[in-house]
Amino acid sequence: MNEMEPSLESQFESLSLNEKPPLAKPVYNKKGLETLPELQHSLFGSIADGITIKPDKLYNDLQAEHPGLEDLLNTVLPDSSAVLIVSRSWAVDLEQKRNPKVVCDILLLSPNNYPTLYSVFSAKVSEEEFQYSLVTAFALKKKLINVGSYTGKLCVIPKLLCLNAEHGVSSPSWPEIRYPETYKLDDLETLEELLKSLTIVILSFRSVLSDKIGMEYFSLLTIEQYKILSENLFNNTSFVHGPPGTGKTVIALEIIKKIKNLYNCSTDDILYICENIPLAEFVRSQGICQTMTRKWFVTQDLVNVKHIVVDEAQNFQVNEGHWFKKANSIVKKSCGVFWVFLDNFQSWHKKSSGLPECRFQNKYMLNKVVRSPYKIYKNIFSKMNKVACTANDPFLTKLIKKSDCCHAIEGFCQILKQVKAEIVKYVSENCYKYLSNGYSQSDIAILCSTESTAMEYKGLLFKEINRRARKGKIVTKFKSAEDLTQDAIIVDSVRRFSGLEQLIVFAINPVSKDDRVNDNLFICAASRSTGKLHMLYENAED
């Protein structure tokens, strides 16, 4: 049994290019996920002679919205091969404020030419718009170097286009940014090298583990996660369904960041709602929006809120008030956006959630499991099948068929049935082993069926673990799930830890008074672990 190995660091591999600039940020991804060349191909396809425009769906949408766009682009396209990467706002993609006059930004990469960022405006431009384009181009260059690790000579020339101007040329003409000829892309091979760095830039996001390990680093989105983020955020209401471990909360946080820059919002304009206090506290610590629980939301008069993101919605209820109707009304009144993230496999009640029927939802689906190690995922998948079969739900069955554990982390999973005294001994022994082998207290969570059960086990475990720890001069502490700062072992209920994750999880007797949701509670508990799971059920005392 290899439960003491491997560590968190061994689950990731570096995607930064070998020879990277001195200020480049580290970029990591889970082992076994798509390689950088595979991701590059998924984004841009095969680069050869001719014109490649990506993402093609977004470009088609923009053409439909702005009929003159294709003709305008034809005025600047080179005769040779070229790659055009289209965005509604490259500024937003680079975590900057959007200019409301911008129809889209198009990065043009072509051999024997300078990389050029065309900002397409819907109205007459001024010095302010020129500065916007200049700053966006510089931000892209900086990120290609500091996140994408590009080491070649690099420039990004800003150019302004206007849909209603003659021949697309904005007037007055602005000073041209000049670079030496050596800054042009030499050939297709050089272009491919730049696309590697661009792939990292497009898919990268600051990992939430950065704060935990004390070092800022970036991870990459999966292609299906990226497609959701690059879709039209102007949709009024969208629902994202996904099995546990597919990154719903990660996408929710990235969408909040995009909304903030896309609509030039303050943090008070965006509200994140979830069911439990610990998850709300975690999102509040990110400093990107207001946060509150569903129970608090239904009691409040909210004046400033324009956009709402809901997470873990499968566990919402309408017994204290119809949260969905209230949220929908707020968003419609402000012409804002409304995103709802949910996973019905983790629903721990059979009451009304207040959500509209699945067939009436504007749905997106996440299927690639990136968090749960394979040995844990196998057990989760088995329970997911039971949940779908019991519910006789075609949509859940469809999600299961497409679900895929897409990395190479095996992890550790053990399921035991013991009497309470044996469980206390087992947990304390293994916690002591983990701490003795270099794991920190903040790597461990002990999750019970209820808060009262958690308090009971907390008292029993405190004595036993510290008895062992004193012999090895290891000081141990315990905390509840919402205490984000203290280095201590979490002891709390499965429900309150929903939406959060920990490297090592001991799940103690995750059963409900309503045995119809026991499989759901197993899924919720098991999916909290990113590395090692000890699932312990209570046997009746003799």
Side-chain angles (χ1 to χ4, degrees):
M1 186 169 63
N2 247 355
E3 70 268 31
M4 292 302 135
E5 309 173 9
S7 65
L8 175 65
E9 291 79 4
S10 67
Q11 295 187 18
F12 295 85
E13 58 187 350
S14 175
L15 283 184
S16 300
L17 304 183
N18 291 332
E19 295 181 6
K20 58 185 180 181
L23 297 180
K25 303 286 186 182
V27 182
Y28 293 92
N29 223 15
K30 276 278 184 80
K31 286 184 177 177
L33 292 178
E34 287 183 287
T35 63
L36 188 55
E38 288 170 339
L39 291 168
Q40 179 182 330
H41 187 268
S42 296
L43 287 177
F44 307 118
S46 299
I47 306 304
D49 291 338
I51 306 297
T52 301
I53 302 179
K54 296 289 181 177
D56 40 11
K57 182 184 183 303
L58 175 58
Y59 180 61
N60 292 335
D61 290 345
L62 287 166
Q63 278 184 301
E65 294 166 23
H66 306 283
L69 182 61
E70 184 176 12
D71 291 337
L72 180 60
L73 276 184
N74 286 335
T75 64
V76 298
L77 289 177
D79 296 330
S80 60
S81 58
V83 182
L84 283 78
I85 300 96
V86 183
S87 172
R88 287 188 180 273
S89 173
W90 264 105
V92 171
D93 296 339
L94 299 166
E95 298 181 44
Q96 298 185 136
K97 298 292 184 184
R98 170 179 172 261
N99 186 312
K101 292 183 182 179
V102 171
V103 170
C104 63
D105 290 311
I106 301 171
L107 178 64
L108 174 61
L109 304 178
S110 176
N112 303 312
N113 286 289
Y114 299 109
T116 304
L117 183 66
Y118 288 96
S119 295
V120 182
F121 292 89
S122 60
K124 187 177 179 181
V125 295
S126 64
E127 174 70 21
E128 182 182 349
E129 279 69 47
F130 174 72
Q131 288 301 320
Y132 160 87
S133 187
L134 189 66
V135 168
T136 305
F138 178 74
L140 178 55
K141 172 187 173 180
K142 187 176 177 182
K143 204 154 189 178
L144 283 165
I145 295 169
N146 289 341
V147 176
S149 296
Y150 189 73
T151 56
K153 289 186 176 180
L154 179 65
C155 68
V156 180
I157 306 292
K159 297 276 189 179
L160 280 66
L161 298 174
C162 193
L163 275 172
N164 60 8
E166 186 178 357
H167 305 303
V169 179
S170 59
S171 180
S173 58
W174 305 105
E176 193 167 342
I177 310 299
R178 296 184 178 275
Y179 277 84
E181 291 280 321
T182 52
Y183 280 76
K184 289 182 177 180
L185 298 174
D186 293 333
D187 47 32
L188 280 175
E189 186 178 340
T190 310
L191 195 157
E192 291 273 7
E193 284 300 310
L194 184 55
L195 284 177
K196 284 182 186 176
S197 296
L198 189 63
T199 298
I200 294 174
V201 168
I202 288 174
L203 298 179
S204 66
F205 66 97
R206 184 182 185 273
S207 173
V208 294
L209 289 174
S210 295
D211 295 330
K212 182 174 181 178
I213 66 175
M215 178 190 77
E216 184 178 45
Y217 80 93
F218 291 81
S219 292
L220 297 191
L221 301 166
T222 64
I223 295 299
E224 70 173 10
Q225 289 172 337
Y226 166 73
K227 285 180 179 177
I228 290 175
L229 277 171
S230 62
E231 287 284 347
N232 191 350
L233 288 182
F234 293 95
N235 286 336
N236 286 336
T237 306
S238 300
F239 297 81
V240 179
H241 294 258
T246 50
K248 295 180 293 297
T249 298
V250 166
I251 299 303
L253 297 182
E254 292 303 307
I255 280 175
I256 289 170
K257 294 174 189 175
K258 279 188 173 283
I259 288 172
K260 190 173 181 181
N261 288 317
L262 192 63
Y263 293 94
N264 294 322
C265 290
S266 71
T267 54
D268 290 340
D269 293 327
I270 310 170
L271 177 64
Y272 173 93
I273 312 171
C274 61
E275 185 65 13
N276 56 72
I277 293 172
L279 181 56
E281 287 299 316
F282 167 73
V283 175
R284 183 177 289 116
S285 72
Q286 306 299 304
I288 55 177
C289 61
Q290 291 192 68
T291 67
M292 59 180 62
T293 62
R294 184 260 316 169
K295 284 186 178 180
W296 187 243
F297 168 70
V298 296
T299 67
Q300 299 302 298
D301 292 325
L302 300 167
V303 179
N304 295 327
V305 172
K306 297 181 177 66
H307 314 282
I308 295 177
V309 174
V310 170
D311 202 4
E312 299 284 306
Q314 74 277 354
N315 289 316
F316 283 28
Q317 298 178 39
V318 293
N319 49 351
E320 288 98 359
H322 208 301
W323 67 271
F324 184 83
K325 287 181 179 178
K326 179 176 180 177
N328 210 29
S329 173
I330 290 171
V331 170
K332 282 186 176 180
K333 186 177 179 180
S334 63
C335 298
V337 294
F338 186 16
W339 283 78
V340 180
F341 292 80
L342 67 158
D343 173 14
N344 286 321
F345 293 110
Q346 295 188 70
S347 179
W348 61 60
H349 65 78
K350 292 294 182 180
K351 300 173 184 177
S352 172
S353 66
L355 289 162
E357 288 183 45
C358 193
R359 59 198 174 103
F360 297 126
Q361 297 174 6
N362 175 37
K363 294 188 294 294
Y364 298 92
M365 289 192 291
L366 289 168
N367 301 292
K368 302 292 185 183
V369 175
V370 294
R371 183 179 66 214
S372 300
Y374 181 68
K375 288 183 178 178
I376 298 174
Y377 169 78
K378 278 199 307 181
N379 287 280
I380 292 173
F381 187 78
S382 174
K383 296 291 186 181
M384 283 166 55
N385 270 305
K386 289 181 68 176
V387 169
C389 185
T390 303
N392 194 24
D393 188 327
F395 180 69
L396 292 185
T397 302
K398 181 180 179 181
L399 278 175
I400 288 173
K401 286 181 178 178
K402 293 191 174 184
S403 175
D404 178 32
C405 188
C406 58
H407 56 74
I409 308 302
E410 279 203 0
F412 171 82
C413 181
Q414 187 170 47
I415 303 173
L416 297 173
K417 199 168 186 179
Q418 299 175 317
V419 299
K420 185 177 292 184
E422 290 173 333
I423 289 176
V424 171
K425 182 181 178 183
Y426 177 91
V427 174
S428 60
E429 282 181 350
N430 280 279
C431 282
Y432 178 72
K433 286 180 185 177
Y434 282 126
L435 296 173
S436 299
N437 279 273
Y439 291 91
S440 71
Q441 296 178 89
S442 58
D443 288 329
I444 303 171
I446 300 168
L447 307 178
C448 302
S449 54
T450 64
E451 286 183 69
S452 59
T453 308
M455 290 300 294
E456 180 186 358
Y457 269 98
K458 185 177 180 180
L460 295 170
L461 289 165
F462 181 80
K463 293 178 183 177
E464 187 65 21
I465 293 176
N466 277 294
R467 182 181 67 80
R468 296 173 183 277
R470 279 194 296 271
K471 292 179 180 179
K473 297 182 180 180
I474 298 172
V475 179
T476 56
K477 296 179 181 178
F478 294 93
K479 65 179 180 180
S480 58
E482 64 261 42
D483 191 343
L484 302 175
T485 57
Q486 190 177 6
D487 180 21
I489 296 171
I490 290 171
V491 183
D492 217 318
S493 71
V494 173
R495 291 174 174 86
R496 277 170 46 82
F497 203 66
S498 178
L500 299 171
E501 62 184 51
Q502 203 70 301
L503 179 62
I504 303 162
V505 169
F506 294 88
I508 300 177
N509 209 38
V511 296
S512 172
K513 290 180 180 178
D514 183 352
D515 58 11
R516 295 176 299 172
V517 298
N518 280 346
D519 290 328
N520 305 69
L521 209 56
F522 176 99
I523 293 168
C524 188
S527 62
R528 299 308 95 211
S529 172
T530 61
K532 309 167 202 306
L533 173 68
H534 303 262
M535 185 72 71
L536 307 166
Y537 285 96
E538 282 186 3
N539 229 338
E541 301 280 354
D542 293 334

